[in-house]
Amino acid sequence: MRAVWYERTGAAPTVLTVGEMPTPEAGPGEVRVRLEASGVNPADVGRRSGNYRAMEFPRVIPNSDGAGIIDQVGEGVTRFAVGDRVWLFNGQRNGRAFGTAAEYITLADYLVTPLPQDVSFAAGATLGIPCMTAWCALFADGPISGQTVLVTGGAGAVGHYAVQLAKWGGARVIATVSSQVKDVEARLAGADTVVNYRTEDVVSKVMAFTENRGVDRVIDVDFGGNLATTLKIMAMNSTIAVYATNGNRTPTLPVRELMEKCITVRSLVLFALPPPLLAAAQADITKWLASGTRVHNIAGQFALAETADAHLAVEKGDKIGTVIVDCAR
């Protein structure tokens, strides 16, 4: 099969190699997916660059999300059949060296979810880590119907799905963004109100919207960078769900302030979450996809041989949506 890999970390054009590798065979409990699309997430770029940790394997095929067609079913698999359209997550995680920047991938069937006929493979490859993270951040502690949810970065890959899922879950949704273009995207996703944190007073806008009560749940893309503002807008017995903290990676926690409002801080990273929670997310996302038209933002598409360019597009930091690698071209 054609694949892209690296054997040392570093700059994408320097370390990524395009070539031929043996096509994998599905083992017991596994399926093989003929990949049509691969989603590139910031974590994939971080691992390849060496910003996350040292090389875990002698050779790594990057990218953890994807979509395609099952073409081989391993022993004991009953949930899927050859020819099924699927999307997948955590392809290059948890002891797996070979991700989705390839023509084929084999992985455990519980990491694979049916892809509706009306969702393209490119759109399916945007689900994975962004949509699963959004769902877990929103619903890990129970239903959110009737609550007010603030999504920071409401036009980002995770944030955009969080806005849509929160509305589907019955919440009122506030989104923060950094530009007029992103304001439009957050509103298209269903946000009830949008605040530009660069030009508007987030605290006054949020408190006015909630009639000074504050928000019940924050889905936060930058815990450390946002913390001073976030603490001012939390309701009593509320939760901050944290999936990134790039603005300040080692924030000082004002524990007394958290205690006085009984604020829970839920930190999460998708590959470490318990399997029952991930299974619940997959089931709910399937229901959500079937219940209406959804917005799947694709920030750009590249051929498999252009995977280095796809990684550079993510590194630029100005994308809206998920960068996709078309594995079949």
Side-chain angles (χ1 to χ4, degrees):
M1 68 174 183
R2 287 194 311 147
V4 177
W5 66 83
Y6 58 93
E7 297 176 341
R8 58 188 175 90
T9 57
T14 302
V15 303
L16 289 178
T17 297
V18 183
E20 292 289 328
M21 286 181 57
T23 302
E25 299 288 326
E30 293 184 334
V31 296
R32 185 172 72 189
V33 180
R34 187 179 79 242
L35 289 159
E36 297 287 337
S38 170
V40 186
N41 290 294
D44 303 315
V45 170
R47 284 170 177 257
R48 185 265 310 147
S49 68
N51 289 339
Y52 277 31
R53 56 183 63 130
M55 288 283 295
E56 299 172 276
F57 308 96
R59 174 178 286 185
V60 173
I61 295 176
N63 305 354
S64 285
D65 294 343
I69 299 172
I70 291 178
D71 82 325
Q72 190 180 74
V73 175
E75 181 183 352
V77 173
T78 59
R79 296 176 55 237
F80 295 101
V82 171
D84 286 352
R85 303 172 83 251
V86 295
W87 60 273
L88 60 96
F89 68 101
N90 280 0
Q92 199 273 298
R93 293 288 191 278
N94 291 33
R96 290 178 300 278
F98 296 157
T100 60
E103 291 182 309
Y104 293 89
I105 187 174
T106 57
L107 73 172
D109 68 342
Y110 58 80
L111 296 173
V112 175
T113 310
L115 180 68
Q117 288 291 334
D118 62 347
V119 180
S120 70
F121 290 116
T126 72
L127 293 169
I129 290 174
C131 198
M132 291 285 289
T133 298
W135 187 95
C136 292
L138 285 165
F139 299 105
D141 303 300
I144 59 172
S145 179
Q147 294 186 4
T148 300
V149 173
L150 170 69
V151 179
T152 65
V158 175
H160 202 252
Y161 276 133
V163 172
Q164 295 181 73
L165 285 164
K167 288 300 295 180
W168 176 73
R172 294 199 311 164
V173 182
I174 306 166
T176 63
V177 298
S178 60
S179 70
Q180 182 58 40
V181 171
K182 292 180 178 180
D183 180 295
V184 172
E185 290 297 328
R187 292 183 192 276
L188 287 173
D192 295 291
T193 192
V194 180
V195 183
N196 186 324
Y197 65 83
R198 294 189 188 281
T199 62
E200 298 180 286
D201 186 325
V202 174
V203 174
S204 64
K205 289 279 187 178
V206 170
M207 296 309 286
F209 181 80
T210 62
E211 298 179 340
N212 290 318
R213 179 180 174 276
V215 300
D216 300 291
R217 196 171 192 89
V218 171
I219 312 303
D220 204 353
V221 68
D222 187 6
F223 177 68
N226 293 331
L227 185 57
T229 297
T230 303
L231 287 173
K232 298 174 183 176
I233 60 174
M234 302 304 296
M236 296 293 292
N237 300 295
S238 53
T239 299
I240 307 170
V242 182
Y243 66 92
T245 183
N246 290 325
N248 180 357
R249 296 197 175 193
T250 56
T252 299
L253 290 184
V255 175
R256 190 72 199 177
E257 291 183 65
L258 295 170
M259 291 170 58
E260 287 174 352
K261 286 189 174 181
C262 292
I263 298 171
T264 297
V265 177
R266 168 178 279 278
S267 57
L268 60 138
V269 61
L270 193 65
F271 66 83
L273 291 173
L277 184 65
L278 297 177
Q282 290 167 277
D284 247 13
I285 290 169
T286 296
K287 294 176 185 176
W288 170 72
L289 287 171
S291 64
T293 301
R294 307 304 174 195
V295 182
H296 308 283
N297 277 345
I298 297 171
Q301 292 181 252
F302 298 82
L304 184 61
E306 300 169 335
T307 297
D309 293 328
H311 275 227
L312 292 176
V314 174
E315 287 180 339
K316 284 179 64 180
D318 60 353
K319 68 182 182 65
I320 295 179
T322 300
V323 172
I324 298 297
V325 170
D326 295 321
C327 300
R329 70 178 179 97

Short mmCIF file of all heavy atoms in Angstrom, two decimals, residues 148-208:
data_model
loop_
_atom_site.label_atom_id
_atom_site.label_comp_id
_atom_site.label_asym_id
_atom_site.label_seq_id
_atom_site.Cartn_x
_atom_site.Cartn_y
_atom_site.Cartn_z
N THR A 148 -26.98 26.39 30.33
CA THR A 148 -26.30 27.35 29.47
C THR A 148 -24.85 26.91 29.34
O THR A 148 -24.15 26.75 30.34
CB THR A 148 -26.36 28.77 30.05
OG1 THR A 148 -27.73 29.17 30.18
CG2 THR A 148 -25.65 29.75 29.11
N VAL A 149 -24.41 26.70 28.10
CA VAL A 149 -23.06 26.20 27.81
C VAL A 149 -22.30 27.28 27.05
O VAL A 149 -22.80 27.87 26.09
CB VAL A 149 -23.12 24.92 26.96
CG1 VAL A 149 -21.73 24.50 26.52
CG2 VAL A 149 -23.80 23.79 27.75
N LEU A 150 -21.08 27.55 27.50
CA LEU A 150 -20.18 28.45 26.79
C LEU A 150 -19.12 27.61 26.08
O LEU A 150 -18.43 26.81 26.72
CB LEU A 150 -19.51 29.43 27.75
CG LEU A 150 -18.37 30.27 27.16
CD1 LEU A 150 -18.92 31.28 26.15
CD2 LEU A 150 -17.58 30.98 28.24
N VAL A 151 -18.99 27.80 24.78
CA VAL A 151 -17.96 27.11 24.00
C VAL A 151 -16.92 28.14 23.58
O VAL A 151 -17.22 29.06 22.81
CB VAL A 151 -18.57 26.44 22.75
CG1 VAL A 151 -17.47 25.76 21.92
CG2 VAL A 151 -19.65 25.44 23.14
N THR A 152 -15.70 28.02 24.11
CA THR A 152 -14.64 28.92 23.68
C THR A 152 -14.09 28.39 22.35
O THR A 152 -13.95 27.19 22.15
CB THR A 152 -13.52 29.01 24.72
OG1 THR A 152 -12.88 27.75 24.87
CG2 THR A 152 -14.08 29.45 26.08
N GLY A 153 -13.77 29.31 21.45
CA GLY A 153 -13.33 28.87 20.13
C GLY A 153 -14.45 28.18 19.38
O GLY A 153 -14.29 27.07 18.86
N GLY A 154 -15.59 28.84 19.28
CA GLY A 154 -16.79 28.22 18.72
C GLY A 154 -16.74 27.94 17.24
O GLY A 154 -17.67 27.30 16.72
N ALA A 155 -15.69 28.38 16.55
CA ALA A 155 -15.54 28.05 15.13
C ALA A 155 -14.42 27.05 14.89
O ALA A 155 -14.16 26.66 13.75
CB ALA A 155 -15.26 29.32 14.32
N GLY A 156 -13.77 26.60 15.97
CA GLY A 156 -12.69 25.62 15.83
C GLY A 156 -13.22 24.23 15.55
O GLY A 156 -14.44 23.98 15.59
N ALA A 157 -12.32 23.29 15.28
CA ALA A 157 -12.74 21.94 14.92
C ALA A 157 -13.57 21.30 16.03
O ALA A 157 -14.65 20.75 15.78
CB ALA A 157 -11.52 21.09 14.59
N VAL A 158 -13.10 21.36 17.27
CA VAL A 158 -13.86 20.83 18.40
C VAL A 158 -15.02 21.75 18.74
O VAL A 158 -16.16 21.32 18.94
CB VAL A 158 -12.94 20.63 19.62
CG1 VAL A 158 -13.77 20.20 20.84
CG2 VAL A 158 -11.87 19.59 19.33
N GLY A 159 -14.74 23.05 18.81
CA GLY A 159 -15.76 24.01 19.22
C GLY A 159 -16.97 24.03 18.33
O GLY A 159 -18.11 24.14 18.80
N HIS A 160 -16.76 23.92 17.03
CA HIS A 160 -17.88 23.96 16.08
C HIS A 160 -18.80 22.77 16.27
O HIS A 160 -20.03 22.89 16.20
CB HIS A 160 -17.33 24.00 14.65
CG HIS A 160 -18.28 24.54 13.65
ND1 HIS A 160 -18.91 23.75 12.71
CD2 HIS A 160 -18.74 25.80 13.43
CE1 HIS A 160 -19.70 24.49 11.97
NE2 HIS A 160 -19.62 25.74 12.38
N TYR A 161 -18.21 21.59 16.53
CA TYR A 161 -19.04 20.43 16.83
C TYR A 161 -19.69 20.57 18.21
O TYR A 161 -20.83 20.14 18.41
CB TYR A 161 -18.21 19.15 16.76
CG TYR A 161 -18.09 18.60 15.36
CD1 TYR A 161 -16.86 18.19 14.86
CD2 TYR A 161 -19.20 18.46 14.54
CE1 TYR A 161 -16.74 17.69 13.57
CE2 TYR A 161 -19.10 17.96 13.25
CZ TYR A 161 -17.87 17.57 12.77
OH TYR A 161 -17.76 17.07 11.49
N ALA A 162 -18.98 21.17 19.17
CA ALA A 162 -19.55 21.35 20.50
C ALA A 162 -20.79 22.24 20.46
O ALA A 162 -21.78 21.96 21.15
CB ALA A 162 -18.51 21.94 21.45
N VAL A 163 -20.75 23.29 19.65
CA VAL A 163 -21.93 24.15 19.51
C VAL A 163 -23.11 23.35 18.96
O VAL A 163 -24.23 23.40 19.49
CB VAL A 163 -21.63 25.36 18.61
CG1 VAL A 163 -22.90 26.14 18.32
CG2 VAL A 163 -20.60 26.28 19.27
N GLN A 164 -22.87 22.59 17.90
CA GLN A 164 -23.95 21.83 17.28
C GLN A 164 -24.51 20.76 18.23
O GLN A 164 -25.73 20.60 18.36
CB GLN A 164 -23.45 21.16 16.00
CG GLN A 164 -23.07 22.15 14.91
CD GLN A 164 -22.60 21.46 13.65
OE1 GLN A 164 -23.41 20.88 12.91
NE2 GLN A 164 -21.30 21.49 13.39
N LEU A 165 -23.63 20.04 18.90
CA LEU A 165 -24.08 18.99 19.81
C LEU A 165 -24.78 19.56 21.04
O LEU A 165 -25.75 18.97 21.54
CB LEU A 165 -22.89 18.14 20.24
CG LEU A 165 -22.35 17.16 19.20
CD1 LEU A 165 -20.96 16.68 19.60
CD2 LEU A 165 -23.29 15.98 19.01
N ALA A 166 -24.31 20.70 21.53
CA ALA A 166 -24.96 21.32 22.70
C ALA A 166 -26.38 21.74 22.37
O ALA A 166 -27.30 21.55 23.17
CB ALA A 166 -24.14 22.51 23.17
N LYS A 167 -26.58 22.31 21.18
CA LYS A 167 -27.94 22.68 20.77
C LYS A 167 -28.81 21.44 20.65
O LYS A 167 -29.98 21.43 21.06
CB LYS A 167 -27.90 23.45 19.45
CG LYS A 167 -27.35 24.86 19.57
CD LYS A 167 -28.17 25.73 20.53
CE LYS A 167 -29.59 25.96 20.03
NZ LYS A 167 -30.36 26.80 20.99
N TRP A 168 -28.26 20.39 20.05
CA TRP A 168 -28.99 19.12 19.92
C TRP A 168 -29.34 18.56 21.29
O TRP A 168 -30.40 17.96 21.48
CB TRP A 168 -28.12 18.14 19.14
CG TRP A 168 -28.68 16.76 18.99
CD1 TRP A 168 -29.71 16.36 18.19
CD2 TRP A 168 -28.21 15.58 19.66
NE1 TRP A 168 -29.91 15.00 18.31
CE2 TRP A 168 -29.00 14.50 19.20
CE3 TRP A 168 -27.19 15.33 20.57
CZ2 TRP A 168 -28.82 13.18 19.64
CZ3 TRP A 168 -27.00 14.02 21.01
CH2 TRP A 168 -27.81 12.97 20.55
N GLY A 169 -28.46 18.79 22.28
CA GLY A 169 -28.70 18.31 23.63
C GLY A 169 -29.62 19.18 24.45
O GLY A 169 -29.87 18.88 25.63
N GLY A 170 -30.14 20.27 23.87
CA GLY A 170 -31.13 21.09 24.57
C GLY A 170 -30.57 22.24 25.37
O GLY A 170 -31.29 22.81 26.22
N ALA A 171 -29.34 22.63 25.14
CA ALA A 171 -28.73 23.72 25.90
C ALA A 171 -28.86 25.05 25.17
O ALA A 171 -29.04 25.08 23.95
CB ALA A 171 -27.25 23.42 26.16
N ARG A 172 -28.75 26.13 25.92
CA ARG A 172 -28.53 27.45 25.32
C ARG A 172 -27.03 27.60 25.17
O ARG A 172 -26.27 27.25 26.08
CB ARG A 172 -29.08 28.55 26.22
CG ARG A 172 -30.58 28.55 26.39
CD ARG A 172 -31.08 29.90 26.88
NE ARG A 172 -30.34 30.40 28.03
CZ ARG A 172 -30.36 31.67 28.45
NH1 ARG A 172 -31.07 32.57 27.80
NH2 ARG A 172 -29.69 32.04 29.53
N VAL A 173 -26.59 28.14 24.04
CA VAL A 173 -25.17 28.11 23.72
C VAL A 173 -24.62 29.50 23.45
O VAL A 173 -25.16 30.25 22.62
CB VAL A 173 -24.88 27.20 22.51
CG1 VAL A 173 -23.38 27.15 22.23
CG2 VAL A 173 -25.42 25.79 22.76
N ILE A 174 -23.54 29.82 24.15
CA ILE A 174 -22.74 31.01 23.89
C ILE A 174 -21.43 30.54 23.28
O ILE A 174 -20.83 29.58 23.76
CB ILE A 174 -22.44 31.78 25.19
CG1 ILE A 174 -23.73 32.10 25.96
CG2 ILE A 174 -21.66 33.05 24.89
CD1 ILE A 174 -23.47 32.54 27.39
N ALA A 175 -20.97 31.21 22.23
CA ALA A 175 -19.68 30.87 21.64
C ALA A 175 -18.80 32.11 21.64
O ALA A 175 -19.28 33.22 21.38
CB ALA A 175 -19.86 30.37 20.21
N THR A 176 -17.52 31.93 21.93
CA THR A 176 -16.57 33.01 21.77
C THR A 176 -15.73 32.75 20.52
O THR A 176 -15.41 31.60 20.20
CB THR A 176 -15.63 33.17 22.99
OG1 THR A 176 -14.84 31.99 23.15
CG2 THR A 176 -16.44 33.43 24.25
N VAL A 177 -15.39 33.83 19.82
CA VAL A 177 -14.62 33.73 18.57
C VAL A 177 -13.66 34.91 18.50
O VAL A 177 -13.72 35.82 19.33
CB VAL A 177 -15.55 33.75 17.33
CG1 VAL A 177 -16.49 32.55 17.33
CG2 VAL A 177 -16.35 35.05 17.27
N SER A 178 -12.81 34.91 17.45
CA SER A 178 -11.81 35.95 17.34
C SER A 178 -11.95 36.81 16.09
O SER A 178 -11.11 37.69 15.85
CB SER A 178 -10.40 35.33 17.37
OG SER A 178 -10.24 34.43 16.28
N SER A 179 -12.98 36.57 15.26
CA SER A 179 -13.13 37.34 14.04
C SER A 179 -14.57 37.30 13.56
O SER A 179 -15.38 36.46 14.00
CB SER A 179 -12.22 36.80 12.93
OG SER A 179 -12.68 35.53 12.48
N GLN A 180 -14.91 38.19 12.61
CA GLN A 180 -16.24 38.22 12.05
C GLN A 180 -16.54 36.96 11.26
O GLN A 180 -17.66 36.44 11.29
CB GLN A 180 -16.41 39.46 11.15
CG GLN A 180 -17.80 39.61 10.55
CD GLN A 180 -18.90 39.69 11.60
OE1 GLN A 180 -18.74 40.33 12.64
NE2 GLN A 180 -20.01 39.01 11.35
N VAL A 181 -15.54 36.45 10.55
CA VAL A 181 -15.74 35.21 9.80
C VAL A 181 -16.09 34.07 10.74
O VAL A 181 -17.00 33.26 10.47
CB VAL A 181 -14.47 34.87 8.98
CG1 VAL A 181 -14.57 33.47 8.38
CG2 VAL A 181 -14.24 35.90 7.89
N LYS A 182 -15.39 33.98 11.86
CA LYS A 182 -15.67 32.91 12.82
C LYS A 182 -17.00 33.13 13.53
O LYS A 182 -17.67 32.16 13.92
CB LYS A 182 -14.52 32.80 13.82
CG LYS A 182 -13.23 32.31 13.16
CD LYS A 182 -12.09 32.20 14.15
CE LYS A 182 -10.83 31.65 13.46
NZ LYS A 182 -9.69 31.52 14.39
N ASP A 183 -17.40 34.37 13.68
CA ASP A 183 -18.72 34.69 14.22
C ASP A 183 -19.80 34.05 13.35
O ASP A 183 -20.73 33.40 13.85
CB ASP A 183 -18.91 36.21 14.27
CG ASP A 183 -20.26 36.63 14.83
OD1 ASP A 183 -21.28 36.34 14.18
OD2 ASP A 183 -20.29 37.27 15.89
N VAL A 184 -19.67 34.20 12.05
CA VAL A 184 -20.64 33.61 11.12
C VAL A 184 -20.66 32.09 11.26
O VAL A 184 -21.74 31.47 11.30
CB VAL A 184 -20.31 34.02 9.68
CG1 VAL A 184 -21.19 33.26 8.68
CG2 VAL A 184 -20.48 35.53 9.49
N GLU A 185 -19.48 31.47 11.36
CA GLU A 185 -19.41 30.02 11.48
C GLU A 185 -20.09 29.53 12.75
O GLU A 185 -20.81 28.53 12.75
CB GLU A 185 -17.95 29.56 11.45
CG GLU A 185 -17.28 29.72 10.10
CD GLU A 185 -17.92 28.89 9.01
OE1 GLU A 185 -18.43 27.78 9.32
OE2 GLU A 185 -17.93 29.33 7.85
N ALA A 186 -19.85 30.22 13.86
CA ALA A 186 -20.45 29.80 15.13
C ALA A 186 -21.98 29.93 15.08
O ALA A 186 -22.70 29.09 15.62
CB ALA A 186 -19.88 30.62 16.28
N ARG A 187 -22.47 30.97 14.43
CA ARG A 187 -23.92 31.14 14.31
C ARG A 187 -24.52 30.07 13.40
O ARG A 187 -25.63 29.57 13.65
CB ARG A 187 -24.25 32.54 13.81
CG ARG A 187 -23.92 33.64 14.81
CD ARG A 187 -24.31 35.03 14.34
NE ARG A 187 -23.71 36.04 15.19
CZ ARG A 187 -24.24 36.46 16.35
NH1 ARG A 187 -25.36 35.92 16.80
NH2 ARG A 187 -23.63 37.39 17.05
N LEU A 188 -23.81 29.71 12.34
CA LEU A 188 -24.28 28.64 11.46
C LEU A 188 -24.38 27.32 12.20
O LEU A 188 -25.23 26.47 11.90
CB LEU A 188 -23.35 28.49 10.25
CG LEU A 188 -23.44 29.58 9.19
CD1 LEU A 188 -22.33 29.40 8.14
CD2 LEU A 188 -24.81 29.58 8.51
N ALA A 189 -23.50 27.15 13.18
CA ALA A 189 -23.54 25.92 13.99
C ALA A 189 -24.69 25.92 14.98
O ALA A 189 -25.03 24.88 15.54
CB ALA A 189 -22.22 25.76 14.74
N GLY A 190 -25.30 27.09 15.21
CA GLY A 190 -26.47 27.16 16.07
C GLY A 190 -26.30 27.95 17.35
O GLY A 190 -27.20 27.95 18.20
N ALA A 191 -25.18 28.64 17.53
CA ALA A 191 -24.97 29.41 18.76
C ALA A 191 -26.07 30.45 18.94
O ALA A 191 -26.46 31.14 17.99
CB ALA A 191 -23.61 30.09 18.73
N ASP A 192 -26.57 30.57 20.17
CA ASP A 192 -27.61 31.56 20.46
C ASP A 192 -27.05 32.96 20.52
O ASP A 192 -27.74 33.93 20.18
CB ASP A 192 -28.28 31.20 21.79
CG ASP A 192 -29.02 29.88 21.72
OD1 ASP A 192 -30.05 29.82 21.02
OD2 ASP A 192 -28.57 28.91 22.35
N THR A 193 -25.82 33.09 20.97
CA THR A 193 -25.15 34.38 20.95
C THR A 193 -23.66 34.13 20.79
O THR A 193 -23.14 33.10 21.20
CB THR A 193 -25.43 35.18 22.24
OG1 THR A 193 -24.99 36.54 22.07
CG2 THR A 193 -24.72 34.59 23.44
N VAL A 194 -22.99 35.09 20.16
CA VAL A 194 -21.57 34.95 19.87
C VAL A 194 -20.86 36.21 20.36
O VAL A 194 -21.35 37.33 20.16
CB VAL A 194 -21.31 34.76 18.36
CG1 VAL A 194 -19.81 34.63 18.08
CG2 VAL A 194 -22.07 33.55 17.83
N VAL A 195 -19.71 36.02 21.01
CA VAL A 195 -18.93 37.13 21.55
C VAL A 195 -17.54 37.11 20.93
O VAL A 195 -16.86 36.07 20.97
CB VAL A 195 -18.81 37.05 23.08
CG1 VAL A 195 -18.06 38.27 23.61
CG2 VAL A 195 -20.19 36.93 23.73
N ASN A 196 -17.14 38.22 20.34
CA ASN A 196 -15.77 38.35 19.82
C ASN A 196 -14.88 38.77 20.98
O ASN A 196 -14.94 39.90 21.45
CB ASN A 196 -15.71 39.40 18.70
CG ASN A 196 -14.35 39.46 18.03
OD1 ASN A 196 -13.31 39.30 18.67
ND2 ASN A 196 -14.35 39.72 16.73
N TYR A 197 -14.03 37.85 21.45
CA TYR A 197 -13.25 38.14 22.65
C TYR A 197 -12.14 39.16 22.40
O TYR A 197 -11.55 39.69 23.35
CB TYR A 197 -12.68 36.86 23.26
CG TYR A 197 -11.67 36.11 22.40
CD1 TYR A 197 -10.34 36.48 22.38
CD2 TYR A 197 -12.06 35.02 21.64
CE1 TYR A 197 -9.41 35.79 21.62
CE2 TYR A 197 -11.15 34.32 20.86
CZ TYR A 197 -9.83 34.71 20.85
OH TYR A 197 -8.91 34.02 20.09
N ARG A 198 -11.87 39.46 21.13
CA ARG A 198 -10.85 40.47 20.83
C ARG A 198 -11.41 41.89 20.90
O ARG A 198 -10.67 42.84 21.17
CB ARG A 198 -10.25 40.23 19.45
CG ARG A 198 -9.45 38.93 19.31
CD ARG A 198 -8.73 38.90 17.98
NE ARG A 198 -8.09 37.63 17.71
CZ ARG A 198 -6.92 37.22 18.22
NH1 ARG A 198 -6.26 38.02 19.04
NH2 ARG A 198 -6.43 36.04 17.90
N THR A 199 -12.69 42.03 20.63
CA THR A 199 -13.28 43.37 20.53
C THR A 199 -14.39 43.63 21.53
O THR A 199 -14.85 44.77 21.65
CB THR A 199 -13.83 43.60 19.11
OG1 THR A 199 -14.86 42.64 18.84
CG2 THR A 199 -12.72 43.46 18.06
N GLU A 200 -14.86 42.61 22.23
CA GLU A 200 -15.98 42.78 23.15
C GLU A 200 -15.61 42.29 24.54
O GLU A 200 -14.67 41.51 24.73
CB GLU A 200 -17.20 41.99 22.64
CG GLU A 200 -17.71 42.46 21.28
CD GLU A 200 -18.91 41.66 20.82
OE1 GLU A 200 -18.71 40.50 20.41
OE2 GLU A 200 -20.03 42.19 20.87
N ASP A 201 -16.37 42.77 25.52
CA ASP A 201 -16.17 42.38 26.91
C ASP A 201 -16.91 41.06 27.15
O ASP A 201 -18.13 41.03 27.24
CB ASP A 201 -16.70 43.47 27.84
CG ASP A 201 -16.41 43.20 29.30
OD1 ASP A 201 -16.41 42.03 29.70
OD2 ASP A 201 -16.18 44.17 30.05
N VAL A 202 -16.14 39.97 27.23
CA VAL A 202 -16.76 38.65 27.35
C VAL A 202 -17.60 38.55 28.63
O VAL A 202 -18.73 38.05 28.60
CB VAL A 202 -15.68 37.55 27.34
CG1 VAL A 202 -16.30 36.18 27.63
CG2 VAL A 202 -14.94 37.53 26.00
N VAL A 203 -17.05 39.03 29.74
CA VAL A 203 -17.76 38.90 31.01
C VAL A 203 -19.10 39.62 30.98
O VAL A 203 -20.14 39.05 31.34
CB VAL A 203 -16.88 39.42 32.17
CG1 VAL A 203 -17.68 39.41 33.48
CG2 VAL A 203 -15.62 38.58 32.31
N SER A 204 -19.12 40.86 30.53
CA SER A 204 -20.37 41.62 30.54
C SER A 204 -21.38 41.01 29.57
O SER A 204 -22.58 40.95 29.87
CB SER A 204 -20.11 43.09 30.19
OG SER A 204 -19.61 43.22 28.87
N LYS A 205 -20.93 40.55 28.41
CA LYS A 205 -21.83 39.96 27.43
C LYS A 205 -22.44 38.66 27.95
O LYS A 205 -23.64 38.42 27.82
CB LYS A 205 -21.08 39.69 26.12
CG LYS A 205 -20.71 40.93 25.33
CD LYS A 205 -21.89 41.42 24.53
CE LYS A 205 -21.50 42.55 23.61
NZ LYS A 205 -22.61 43.03 22.77
N VAL A 206 -21.60 37.83 28.55
CA VAL A 206 -22.09 36.55 29.06
C VAL A 206 -23.02 36.75 30.24
O VAL A 206 -24.09 36.12 30.33
CB VAL A 206 -20.90 35.64 29.45
CG1 VAL A 206 -21.39 34.41 30.22
CG2 VAL A 206 -20.13 35.21 28.21
N MET A 207 -22.65 37.63 31.13
CA MET A 207 -23.50 37.84 32.31
C MET A 207 -24.84 38.47 31.93
O MET A 207 -25.88 38.16 32.53
CB MET A 207 -22.77 38.67 33.35
CG MET A 207 -21.52 37.98 33.91
SD MET A 207 -21.81 36.29 34.51
CE MET A 207 -22.70 36.65 36.05
N ALA A 208 -24.82 39.34 30.93
CA ALA A 208 -26.09 39.91 30.45
C ALA A 208 -26.97 38.83 29.84
O ALA A 208 -28.19 38.79 30.09
CB ALA A 208 -25.81 41.02 29.44
#
